[in-house]
């Protein structure tokens, strides 16, 4: 019976850590850049776009397609950075737990 109580305590502890980590990720802001910094995207750890900066030199009628590509690339860069932070936080939190490789926790 003690093992069950101990396990329940660990589950509650893990749940509290998970909630704290989710709050940290939601508050996280990352910047993605493309074109050598000509386009910068700021987004939250949850993927919400918070800001977009575009160098004025890109505002030329014949370069609209380039600008569109740079915005997409900057967004991907920011998303990749946010995912890397989330993966690291998850790894730290679940250290020592028998979780199968590749299993994603619900975020």
């Amino acid at each position: 019976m003690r093992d069950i109580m101990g396990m329940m305590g660990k589950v509650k502890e893990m749940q509290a850590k998970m909630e704290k980590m989710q709050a940290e990720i939601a508050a996280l802001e990352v910047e993605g850049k493309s074109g050598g910094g000509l386009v910068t995207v700021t987004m939250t750890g949850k993927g919400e776009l918070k800001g977009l900066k575009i160098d004025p030199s890109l505002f030329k009628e014949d370069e609209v397609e380039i600008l569109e590509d740079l915005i997409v690339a900057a967004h991907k860069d920011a998303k990749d950075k946010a995912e890397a932070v989330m993966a690291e936080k998850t790894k730290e939190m679940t250290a020592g737990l028998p979780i199968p490789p590749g299993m994603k926790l619900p975020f």
Side-chain angles (χ1 to χ4, degrees), residues 11-29:
V11 167
K12 286 187 185 247
E13 182 181 320
M14 177 67 133
Q15 186 177 19
K17 285 182 180 179
M18 180 84 72
E19 288 172 4
K20 181 181 177 203
M21 185 179 76
Q22 287 176 331
E24 288 174 5
I25 288 170
L28 175 72
E29 283 196 9

Side-chain angles (χ1 to χ4, degrees), residues 12-50:
K12 286 187 185 247
E13 182 181 320
M14 177 67 133
Q15 186 177 19
K17 285 182 180 179
M18 180 84 72
E19 288 172 4
K20 181 181 177 203
M21 185 179 76
Q22 287 176 331
E24 288 174 5
I25 288 170
L28 175 72
E29 283 196 9
V30 293
E31 270 191 4
K33 296 183 180 201
S34 66
L38 292 174
V39 174
T40 302
V41 168
T42 305
M43 60 186 274
T44 68
K46 294 277 189 176
E48 179 186 344
L49 185 63
K50 298 294 275 187

Side-chain angles (χ1 to χ4, degrees), residues 48-84:
E48 179 186 344
L49 185 63
K50 298 294 275 187
L52 173 65
K53 293 180 185 173
I54 302 170
D55 188 278
S57 68
L58 293 173
F59 292 119
K60 297 179 184 166
E61 193 173 321
D62 59 336
E63 294 184 5
V64 171
E65 193 172 307
I66 293 169
L67 178 57
E68 291 168 347
D69 290 342
L70 289 173
I71 292 170
V72 171
H75 183 270
K76 182 182 179 331
D77 185 43
K79 184 178 177 200
D80 290 346
K81 288 177 181 177
E83 287 176 355

